[in-house]
Amino acid sequence: MEISKKSISMKKNIVFISTSEPNSTTLQYSINSWKKWSYDNDHEFLILDENICDDSSFNKYFIFDLLEESNIEYDQILMTNSNSIIHPNAPNIFNLTNNKLNGTFYDSSYDFLLRNIENYSKYMFDGFTFPYWEYLDTEFLIINNKHKNFINKVKDFYLKNLHDIDNIKSTFQLNSDQPVFNFLLHQEKIDFNILPYEWNMQDLLRKEAINNNNPTLFTNIGWVYQFNFLSSHKNHLMQNTYKKLYQ
């Protein structure tokens, strides 16, 4: 399966979006913002708009297979989703990674976070655990070739345990890829860096970054905005955010 119509021979940093909703009305706002930012910073933008596996959250872990099949050279890879918009003036995040795996803390529902750790620890990882403040949100990750083996381990773990993962997810109403990624990250002792909240701003409503007087207040205080916690307002907010920043 190819994710680009042309071969990219010179190594560039890559922004990669995987979406399970190619017909979503909000997709254009996310794609256009990341395309513009990528172009302005001389990065390559790629999108995967079809599912590789039954659980679409695991699509991104096939990234190295897809790049090799498409004959695409790369330096670093930023993986995010189609529910996000990046500010056009965001600095070049690839200059801040120190060549490590980079992500942001899952700064949303602590109940949900702790239940993910507790149940995956008990039912899938034999009691192994790790500090909750080192739990990364897999909706925004930066990796490079050093992490190829690790990312492939996440992919292979999913393929080997997909029925058990789905059972835990549905029984306890949890995530699927995120806890698996985090448990393997700590088991494999991968060196990683936690970026500040401004690079993956979640749960904007509960953090009062949205209000009636200024519904796009969050654009004044950060770089990447996630709208997946705002299902009932997502279309309106993404449209207004994109118009404010890019039109």
Side-chain angles (χ1 to χ4, degrees), residues 11-15 42-44 74-77 92 94:
K11 281 189 178 182
K12 283 191 175 185
N13 294 317
I14 289 174
V15 173
D42 196 29
H43 306 318
E44 192 69 32
Y74 57 89
D75 187 4
Q76 298 182 79
I77 306 162
N92 189 349
F94 292 107

Side-chain angles (χ1 to χ4, degrees), residues 49-68:
D49 58 1
E50 58 183 284
N51 282 333
I52 297 173
C53 44
D54 292 337
D55 186 334
S56 61
S57 68
F58 280 93
N59 284 340
K60 56 182 167 285
Y61 302 106
F62 289 77
I63 179 64
F64 289 107
D65 301 294
L66 295 169
L67 292 174
E68 288 177 7

Side-chain angles (χ1 to χ4, degrees), residues 19-222:
T19 179
S20 59
E21 302 174 315
N23 299 317
S24 167
T25 56
T26 60
L27 182 62
Q28 59 179 316
Y29 307 124
S30 180
I31 288 177
N32 289 342
S33 76
W34 283 104
K35 269 186 177 179
K36 178 68 164 57
W37 182 84
S38 298
Y39 177 81
D40 289 346
N41 288 277
D42 196 29
H43 306 318
E44 192 69 32
F45 175 83
L46 301 172
I47 181 168
L48 176 67
D49 58 1
E50 58 183 284
N51 282 333
I52 297 173
C53 44
D54 292 337
D55 186 334
S56 61
S57 68
F58 280 93
N59 284 340
K60 56 182 167 285
Y61 302 106
F62 289 77
I63 179 64
F64 289 107
D65 301 294
L66 295 169
L67 292 174
E68 288 177 7
E69 288 173 12
S70 300
N71 194 30
I72 295 174
E73 298 287 337
Y74 57 89
D75 187 4
Q76 298 182 79
I77 306 162
L78 187 159
M79 302 192 296
T80 189
N81 61 36
S82 58
N83 293 309
S84 62
I85 288 177
I86 186 168
H87 195 291
N89 296 332
N92 189 349
I93 184 63
F94 292 107
N95 293 335
L96 308 176
T97 64
N98 292 319
N99 213 33
K100 296 181 180 180
L101 186 152
N102 279 246
T104 61
F105 171 62
Y106 179 80
D107 196 0
S108 183
S109 167
Y110 280 59
D111 170 70
F112 189 61
L113 185 162
L114 294 172
R115 286 192 295 108
N116 271 285
I117 294 177
E118 176 187 358
N119 286 288
Y120 275 87
S121 172
K122 182 176 182 180
Y123 296 106
M124 182 150 284
F125 289 94
D126 298 320
F128 176 81
T129 192
F130 56 90
Y132 75 86
W133 56 88
E134 294 184 349
Y135 187 95
L136 301 185
D137 181 7
T138 55
E139 301 294 352
F140 186 91
L141 296 169
I142 300 175
I143 56 176
N144 58 59
N145 194 55
K146 291 196 308 182
H147 309 113
K148 182 177 179 179
N149 288 340
F150 168 66
I151 295 298
N152 284 336
K153 281 185 179 180
V154 178
K155 176 191 70 176
D156 294 341
F157 188 94
Y158 161 72
L159 293 173
K160 182 179 178 181
N161 299 281
L162 58 94
H163 296 300
D164 290 335
I165 293 170
D166 186 62
N167 184 50
I168 294 173
K169 175 185 177 181
S170 58
T171 300
F172 300 104
Q173 299 300 299
L174 303 174
N175 278 139
S176 52
D177 83 292
Q178 199 157 256
V180 168
F181 172 90
N182 277 281
F183 272 93
L184 293 175
L185 181 74
H186 288 275
Q187 278 194 336
E188 297 294 322
K189 296 181 169 52
I190 303 298
D191 189 18
F192 65 92
N193 179 50
I194 298 180
L195 295 163
Y197 177 73
E198 64 187 353
W199 283 104
N200 190 31
M201 296 178 66
Q202 314 159 40
D203 229 345
L204 299 169
L205 193 59
R206 283 195 285 188
K207 289 183 170 58
E208 299 185 2
I210 298 172
N211 61 55
N212 291 332
N213 294 326
N214 190 353
T216 56
L217 174 65
F218 52 86
T219 61
N220 298 333
I221 55 176

Side-chain angles (χ1 to χ4, degrees), residues 85-88 219 223 225 240-247:
I85 288 177
I86 186 168
H87 195 291
T219 61
W223 302 122
Y225 322 112
N240 284 352
T241 302
Y242 183 80
K243 284 182 176 179
K244 176 182 178 180
L245 296 177
Y246 287 92
Q247 293 181 351

